Amino acid sequence: MTAVTIGKFDGFHKGHQLLLAELARIAADPAAEDGGMPTCVCKIDFPGPGLLTREEQQQVLDRYGIYRMRRLAFTEQFASQTPEEFVRRVLVGELGTTHVVVGTDFCFGYDHAGNVDTLRDLGVKYGFSVTAIDKLYMDGEVVSSTRIRSLLSEGKIQEAERLLGNRICYKGLVSHGKELGRTIGFPTLNLIPDRDKILPCFGVYQSEVITPLGTYRGITNIGKKPTVEKDGLPTIETFLFDFSGDLYDEEITVRLMHFLRPEKKFDSVQELQDQMKKDILSPWKRDAE
């Protein structure tokens, strides 16, 4: 007996969290229909980076007391299943589902042949009930992963965070770079981005960085450093205000706060240095002092 929610769940944004909350309610309320049972998120994994890393996805589920997630890769074989085959093999055969929570626009099976009504009909046949949750609207628009991705592509960090319900952060170990920043007076902490998580538009951001030595404000560049690199891979480089020390191989978390400007190729390293001085001498630094 398991209560299950199904979806792509790219990011577990605030719309998705309505489904998680309903799943948690069913599990916690013995008086509810099919209540007091284990829960599971059935996540359809599509190729490419998502809005959250796997660790961050689980952290969201933990907040709702949901500790089991079944990942299903969206392969050709998976996509070719009929709605009933999916129900019989996965929901009933593998998960032992007795209650399903989905969005009202839920579609499944080959060529999106199944919808919520199909799921309810199959529930009668296979012995599970269905709850359908309406879409969440914020500012007159549906909260969706596509909308959040679009905001990130425009550097609209605060708006994206509000819809996502999570901070826009990048975590990893500080790695050795070419130390160009140190030679021009702006030593940076360098992270290699997690390939499973999308990046916002390339550019310079005000940031807040959590380190083993404390939390600092700083300026973060996300991009390929076109002034000094040719065909480089994207990196995350952060200059911390009022910090001196060595954090190599230490884990840090960079939270993006506000977009300052797009990434730009300068005609010289001196022009880059001059612009970095302007970026750093911003109200963000003055506020931190």
Side-chain angles (χ1 to χ4, degrees), residues 237-261:
E237 298 191 13
T238 302
F239 173 79
L240 299 185
F241 301 150
D242 304 317
F243 174 83
S244 62
D246 183 356
L247 288 171
Y248 288 125
D249 299 322
E250 297 284 357
E251 185 174 80
I252 65 171
T253 299
V254 178
R255 181 192 177 192
L256 304 183
M257 306 297 290
H258 182 72
F259 180 67
L260 286 179
R261 62 174 177 84

Side-chain angles (χ1 to χ4, degrees), residues 26 29 53 57 71 83 86 104 108 123 181 187 191 210 256 262:
I26 291 170
D29 184 4
T53 64
Q57 291 169 15
R71 294 180 179 275
F86 173 76
T104 52
F108 67 115
L191 295 184
I210 302 171
L256 304 183

Side-chain angles (χ1 to χ4, degrees), residues 4-9 40-44 68-72 78 86 90-91 95:
V4 177
T5 186
I6 315 162
K8 291 190 294 184
F9 298 127
C40 179
V41 169
C42 190
K43 184 181 184 306
I44 315 301
R68 184 183 179 191
M69 179 157 54
R70 174 67 170 97
R71 294 180 179 275
L72 298 170
F78 177 85
F86 173 76
V90 179
L91 293 186
L95 299 178

Side-chain angles (χ1 to χ4, degrees), residues 15-275:
H16 295 148
Q17 290 175 35
L18 296 180
L19 277 66
L20 301 181
E22 177 63 14
L23 199 66
R25 185 194 67 79
I26 291 170
D29 184 4
E33 181 183 0
D34 297 330
M37 66 180 71
T39 55
C40 179
V41 169
C42 190
K43 184 181 184 306
I44 315 301
D45 278 341
F46 285 74
L51 291 169
L52 298 179
T53 64
R54 291 196 172 201
E55 179 183 358
E56 290 168 338
Q57 291 169 15
Q58 189 57 57
Q59 288 171 354
V60 176
L61 299 189
D62 290 348
R63 297 205 300 260
Y64 290 90
I66 300 169
Y67 306 110
R68 184 183 179 191
M69 179 157 54
R70 174 67 170 97
R71 294 180 179 275
L72 298 170
F74 189 78
T75 62
E76 185 176 343
Q77 180 181 5
F78 177 85
S80 68
Q81 295 179 104
T82 66
E84 185 162 2
E85 284 173 337
F86 173 76
V87 165
R88 186 176 66 250
R89 293 174 182 174
V90 179
L91 293 186
V92 178
E94 181 180 340
L95 299 178
T97 302
T98 53
H99 195 103
V100 180
V101 179
V102 292
T104 52
D105 63 341
F106 177 69
C107 293
F108 67 115
Y110 178 71
D111 202 24
H112 292 167
N115 56 25
V116 173
D117 290 336
T118 310
L119 192 62
R120 287 197 169 106
D121 290 341
L122 290 169
V124 172
K125 180 176 181 179
Y126 287 96
F128 60 83
S129 51
V130 177
T131 297
I133 304 295
D134 288 332
K135 285 278 192 181
L136 175 65
Y137 284 78
M138 295 178 67
D139 302 323
E141 294 183 56
V142 172
V143 175
S144 69
S145 299
T146 300
R147 184 179 169 191
I148 295 169
R149 284 172 176 265
S150 178
L151 290 170
L152 288 175
S153 73
E154 299 170 10
K156 296 179 179 178
I157 299 302
Q158 295 92 338
E159 293 94 327
E161 280 193 343
R162 193 164 63 88
L163 303 187
L164 187 60
N166 283 285
R167 293 179 173 180
I168 308 300
C169 296
Y170 294 88
K171 182 165 70 173
L173 298 179
V174 177
S175 63
H176 289 268
K178 294 185 177 180
E179 299 190 354
L180 174 65
R182 188 177 300 278
T183 65
I184 63 174
F186 301 103
T188 58
L189 306 179
N190 304 315
L191 295 184
I192 304 301
D194 191 318
R195 292 183 180 181
D196 290 335
K197 185 171 181 176
I198 68 168
L199 294 173
C201 68
F202 289 173
V204 178
Y205 294 80
Q206 294 172 340
S207 60
E208 188 174 74
V209 183
I210 302 171
T211 80
L213 301 179
T215 300
Y216 299 85
R217 288 188 175 186
I219 296 292
T220 295
N221 182 84
I222 297 180
K224 297 184 178 183
K225 300 177 291 185
T227 304
V228 296
E229 297 277 2
K230 291 184 178 180
D231 303 319
L233 295 174
T235 60
I236 300 173
E237 298 191 13
T238 302
F239 173 79
L240 299 185
F241 301 150
D242 304 317
F243 174 83
S244 62
D246 183 356
L247 288 171
Y248 288 125
D249 299 322
E250 297 284 357
E251 185 174 80
I252 65 171
T253 299
V254 178
R255 181 192 177 192
L256 304 183
M257 306 297 290
H258 182 72
F259 180 67
L260 286 179
R261 62 174 177 84
E263 186 173 53
K264 175 183 176 181
K265 182 176 181 180
F266 295 91
D267 292 333
S268 67
V269 172
Q270 181 61 55
E271 283 191 20
L272 170 61
Q273 184 180 27
D274 292 343
Q275 181 60 57

